[in-house]
């Protein structure tokens, strides 16, 4: 996602000064493509840039890049703007905003509800949270990355919305997988079944994006099962903090956790269909 965002911004005539990745080969390759520095230190990215985008895996990674001992992004960060795009816990966005304020810098969460092709084409759906003046400063850049850019509110609120988006998306994905697997077990034409789904109450955005891949059992990764498990966990933790039980979200998280345990975590989230197909064969006595 980050690499394609950088490519898009370069095409739109922004000056890309530096890139960083924990995988040095990835950073070096992208830097050569974009004609910029492949920073060896996080602080070097900050020193070279006015606006820094971050796209990381999880809460721990986010804390490390902003508060890690020794090298981190907030070294000499006065006046810099950090736009943080990862799906992480809302509380971590709040923590990072406070750390940036202490460093006399600004942060904005710009949570993405899109995938790799949309990042490359500037068609991301961006939900933003933080101080409104930080949003106004970032808005011209974000409009080159997103077809929809929405300011939600203070720090953490956009992350709350993103957690709910992914929770519902993951539940829909699991439901579609079970519906198609049951259709296959009944001997139905899955092409026909998907068409019927699309014209009835079974229609969903997930059906549009993942239905054909589930039918064809093609799971090239655009959004991994491991990330789906992580994101469902964020929503469950929000529910627990409010004393709410979310049984559908919990069952979906358990399915994605099972994918990870079975070594399928790097498949696309649509690969959840493989669990249902596998269970069908297991119970029918077929060899898998």
């Amino acid at each position: 996602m980050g690499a394609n965002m950088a490519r898009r911004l370069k095409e739109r005539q922004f000056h890309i000064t530096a890139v960083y990745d924990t995988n040095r080969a990835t950073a070096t390759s992208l830097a050569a493509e974009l004609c910029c520095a492949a920073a060896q230190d996080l602080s070097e990215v900050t020193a070279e840039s006015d606006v820094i985008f971050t796209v990381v895996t999880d809460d721990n990674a986010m804390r490390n890049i902003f508060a890690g001992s020794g090298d981190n992004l907030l070294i000499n960060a006065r006046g810099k703007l950090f736009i943080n795009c990862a799906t992480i816990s809302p509380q971590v966005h709040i923590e990072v905003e406070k750390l940036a304020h202490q460093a006399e810098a600004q942060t904005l969460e710009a949570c993405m509800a899109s995938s790799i092709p949309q990042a490359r084409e500037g068609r991301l759906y961006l939900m933003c949270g933080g101080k409104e003046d930080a949003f106004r400063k970032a808005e011209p850049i974000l409009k080159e990355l997103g077809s929809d850019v929405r300011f939600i509110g203070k720090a953490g609120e956009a992350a709350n919305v993103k957690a709910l988006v992914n929770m519902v998306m993951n539940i829909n994905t699991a439901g579609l997988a079970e519906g198609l697997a049951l259709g296959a077990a009944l001997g139905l034409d899955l092409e026909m079944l998907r068409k019927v789904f699309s014209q009835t109450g079974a229609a969903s955005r997930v059906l549009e994006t993942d239905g054909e891949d589930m039918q064809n059992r093609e799971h090239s990764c655009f959004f991994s099962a491991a990330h789906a498990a992580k994101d469902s966990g964020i929503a469950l933790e929000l529910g627990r903090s409010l004393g709410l039980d979310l049984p559908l979200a919990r069952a979906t998280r358990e399915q994605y956790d099972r994918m990870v345990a079975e070594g399928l975590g790097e498949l696309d989230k649509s690969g959840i269909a493989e669990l249902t197909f596998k269970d069908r064969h297991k119970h029918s006595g077929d060899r898998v």
Side-chain angles (χ1 to χ4, degrees), residues 139-158:
E139 192 174 15
I141 308 174
L142 296 177
K143 285 185 173 179
E144 298 292 350
L145 291 170
S147 55
D148 291 279
V149 180
R150 179 183 292 269
F151 182 67
I152 303 296
K154 64 184 180 181
E157 290 192 357

Side-chain angles (χ1 to χ4, degrees), residues 193-200 202-204 207:
L193 186 59
R194 286 196 297 113
K195 184 70 171 177
V196 172
F197 281 175
S198 72
Q199 297 173 330
T200 62
S204 69
L207 175 64

Side-chain angles (χ1 to χ4, degrees), residues 16 51 54 76 92 95 117 140 144 168 179-180 187 206-207 209 211 220 229 239 242 249 265 284:
I16 309 300
V51 179
T54 69
N76 297 321
V92 178
E95 292 172 15
E144 298 292 350
V168 174
L180 291 176
V206 168
L207 175 64
T209 59
S220 299
L242 297 169
S284 68

Side-chain angles (χ1 to χ4, degrees), residues 167-263:
M167 180 188 80
V168 174
M169 176 183 69
N170 292 340
I171 291 169
N172 286 343
T173 304
L176 177 61
E178 291 191 6
L180 291 176
L182 179 56
L186 292 168
L188 297 175
D189 179 343
L190 295 189
E191 194 79 28
M192 174 275 296
L193 186 59
R194 286 196 297 113
K195 184 70 171 177
V196 172
F197 281 175
S198 72
Q199 297 173 330
T200 62
S204 69
R205 178 66 175 152
V206 168
L207 175 64
E208 295 176 31
T209 59
D210 293 0
E212 185 175 3
D213 287 344
M214 287 184 182
Q215 178 182 337
N216 296 330
R217 302 178 77 169
E218 162 54 46
H219 307 302
S220 299
C221 189
F222 290 89
F223 183 84
S224 74
H227 279 135
K230 180 256 297 181
D231 293 354
S232 291
I234 292 172
L236 284 171
E237 184 55 38
L238 289 173
R240 275 193 291 269
S241 71
L242 297 169
L244 295 176
D245 182 33
L246 304 170
L248 294 179
R250 186 174 65 251
T252 301
R253 165 72 184 274
E254 289 169 356
Q255 283 290 81
Y256 280 118
D257 281 345
R258 182 181 160 199
M259 282 187 70
V260 173
E262 295 191 11

Side-chain angles (χ1 to χ4, degrees), residues 6-281:
R7 292 181 180 110
R8 167 68 180 177
L9 289 174
K10 183 175 178 63
E11 280 183 357
R12 302 303 293 171
Q13 308 305 309
F14 288 90
H15 180 46
I16 309 300
T17 57
V19 295
Y20 177 92
D21 196 282
T22 53
N23 183 323
R24 183 67 183 159
T26 297
T28 302
S29 174
L30 182 62
E33 178 186 342
L34 299 178
C35 300
C36 69
Q40 297 199 52
D41 298 312
L42 291 164
S43 57
E44 182 183 344
V45 178
T46 302
E48 295 290 333
S49 310
D50 298 312
V51 179
I52 301 96
F53 280 84
T54 69
V55 188
V56 297
T57 53
D58 55 27
D59 291 355
N60 287 336
M62 190 70 166
R63 289 187 172 110
N64 285 338
I65 65 173
F66 280 101
S69 59
D71 182 46
N72 67 64
L73 287 173
L74 290 179
I75 294 173
N76 297 321
R78 182 179 182 182
K80 304 301 173 84
L81 172 62
F82 297 90
I83 302 176
N84 303 315
C85 300
T87 302
I88 58 173
S89 300
Q91 183 58 39
V92 178
H93 279 297
I94 295 170
E95 292 172 15
V96 168
E97 184 186 64
K98 289 178 180 177
L99 290 170
H101 179 73
Q102 292 168 9
E104 298 184 71
Q106 292 179 296
T107 64
L108 183 77
E109 63 204 64
C111 305
M112 304 179 290
S114 309
S115 192
I116 294 169
Q118 290 78 32
R120 185 68 184 86
E121 297 160 7
R123 295 188 295 109
L124 293 170
Y125 189 103
L126 297 169
M127 296 160 282
C128 302
K131 299 287 195 300
E132 190 164 358
D133 60 333
F135 173 71
R136 297 303 172 199
K137 183 177 179 180
E139 192 174 15
I141 308 174
L142 296 177
K143 285 185 173 179
E144 298 292 350
L145 291 170
S147 55
D148 291 279
V149 180
R150 179 183 292 269
F151 182 67
I152 303 296
K154 64 184 180 181
E157 290 192 357
N160 281 336
V161 173
K162 178 61 190 301
L164 299 184
V165 167
N166 282 16
M167 180 188 80
V168 174
M169 176 183 69
N170 292 340
I171 291 169
N172 286 343
T173 304
L176 177 61
E178 291 191 6
L180 291 176
L182 179 56
L186 292 168
L188 297 175
D189 179 343
L190 295 189
E191 194 79 28
M192 174 275 296
L193 186 59
R194 286 196 297 113
K195 184 70 171 177
V196 172
F197 281 175
S198 72
Q199 297 173 330
T200 62
S204 69
R205 178 66 175 152
V206 168
L207 175 64
E208 295 176 31
T209 59
D210 293 0
E212 185 175 3
D213 287 344
M214 287 184 182
Q215 178 182 337
N216 296 330
R217 302 178 77 169
E218 162 54 46
H219 307 302
S220 299
C221 189
F222 290 89
F223 183 84
S224 74
H227 279 135
K230 180 256 297 181
D231 293 354
S232 291
I234 292 172
L236 284 171
E237 184 55 38
L238 289 173
R240 275 193 291 269
S241 71
L242 297 169
L244 295 176
D245 182 33
L246 304 170
L248 294 179
R250 186 174 65 251
T252 301
R253 165 72 184 274
E254 289 169 356
Q255 283 290 81
Y256 280 118
D257 281 345
R258 182 181 160 199
M259 282 187 70
V260 173
E262 295 191 11
L264 304 175
E266 294 311 308
L267 289 183
D268 189 79
K269 65 180 175 61
S270 63
I272 197 169
E274 295 305 306
L275 296 181
T276 314
F277 280 110
K278 181 178 180 180
D279 288 343
R280 174 195 165 205
H281 288 298

